[in-house]
Amino acid sequence: MTAARGVSARRSRARSLRTAVAVVAVLAAGVGLAACTSATAAGQACDQSNKRNLGVVAGSTANAPAITVPASATAQLKAVGATNGSVTVVVPSGTPQTMGTTSLGSTAQDAIVCQNDQRTKLTQIGAYLAGLKAATPEVDFLGAIGQAARDLGDHPMGVLVIGSGLQTADPLNFAGSGLLYADPAQVVSDLRSRNLLPTDLKGVTVYWSGLGDTAGAQQPLTVPARSNLAAIWTAVVKAAGGTLSLLPEPASGPAAAGLPAVTPVPVEAVATKTDWSHPVVIRNSDLHFVKDTATFSDPSAAQQLLSTLAPSIEQSSGVITITGTASKDQATNNTADTALSLRRANAVKAALVALGVPEAKLATAGVGFQWCGWQSETDASGSYSDALAEQNRSVILTSAGVPLCG
């Protein structure tokens, strides 16, 4: 493709994004105008003084569930619209595709029309994102994040990523060389030495949905593999100056049909590939504790998950400590959360003992919300978000001398 054709293609994609979001908005504005005529003669204009923009990395790729926009991601998009900000959309193909930038807000001179515009555009952008598909083989999340973070402005809402995180393109190719099990610090060191860290993530929160969730030809990740994948992306985003926030809803279902090929990432058996020199994190969204209790909502599913870890715990040379963590949930002290997190650690211990792990190999602890990995539970608009609080509810397994945050 010539340079001129490349520019033309990018402009065409940008026009299609703007058009997709704008068509329904125009129709809804008319309805809103009629409504506000009877409601108020002089409504308040949409506030344009504090626009906050969001980069979005999304698009169905092979070996991952087809894209859906979960509630926690929709909340981020809604917060952008409330400030009359814009989104820049990038598809994480092997060669990332920048689809363009579009406003999720309104320039209406009446508050009711403004709100109608914002609601309509939120619905439209969700449908647009769900329909995006990769156009070239392999997957490049790192490059897509870098592109999505450009030109976010002085007060960005962040970057929203929807996808498995299993990149198969250089310089972060998890499909080769055992990268999925690499030391996160070494991965960061390599990227930094080659000047390949994203340059526009300073002070930016990266909200990630579906990290580690797979479909199609990609073998499901084991608990240690999923834990290390999250640790690698956390380290990469932190090294680039940002913060990674994992959204709680798991992605599920089949991959979309007819997509360019993506190389499956090798996943080794837990018994042979559990590195106890790093913490192994099990998310509450995988264990499914009933809210505010230490009871599994699905005991058989929890036991099946923990059964994959039992052999490696038995083969470890020392005691494995199971530490429960909790969300703050706007609490004023940590007493109740410490007790809850300890009960959850004990519940995991009991399940592992029932699977045949010697009780003497296991210790438990609870730290509540006061620990090194606690993440903010307020969303981009400054409001408490239970979806973000969910990332603080976990159980962490460590060997002697290994800190909770690795």
Side-chain angles (χ1 to χ4, degrees), residues 375-391:
Q375 299 280 337
S376 172
E377 297 174 3
T378 56
D379 62 21
S381 67
S383 301
Y384 169 78
S385 167
D386 191 66
L388 296 182
E390 179 71 7
Q391 68 189 320

Side-chain angles (χ1 to χ4, degrees), residues 18 24 45 76-77 98 101 123 154 193 227 237 241 255 327 352 363 391:
R18 289 193 296 270
V24 177
Q76 302 303 316
L77 294 166
T98 299
T101 299
T123 300
D154 294 334
S193 68
S227 177
V237 172
S327 57
L352 287 168
Q391 68 189 320

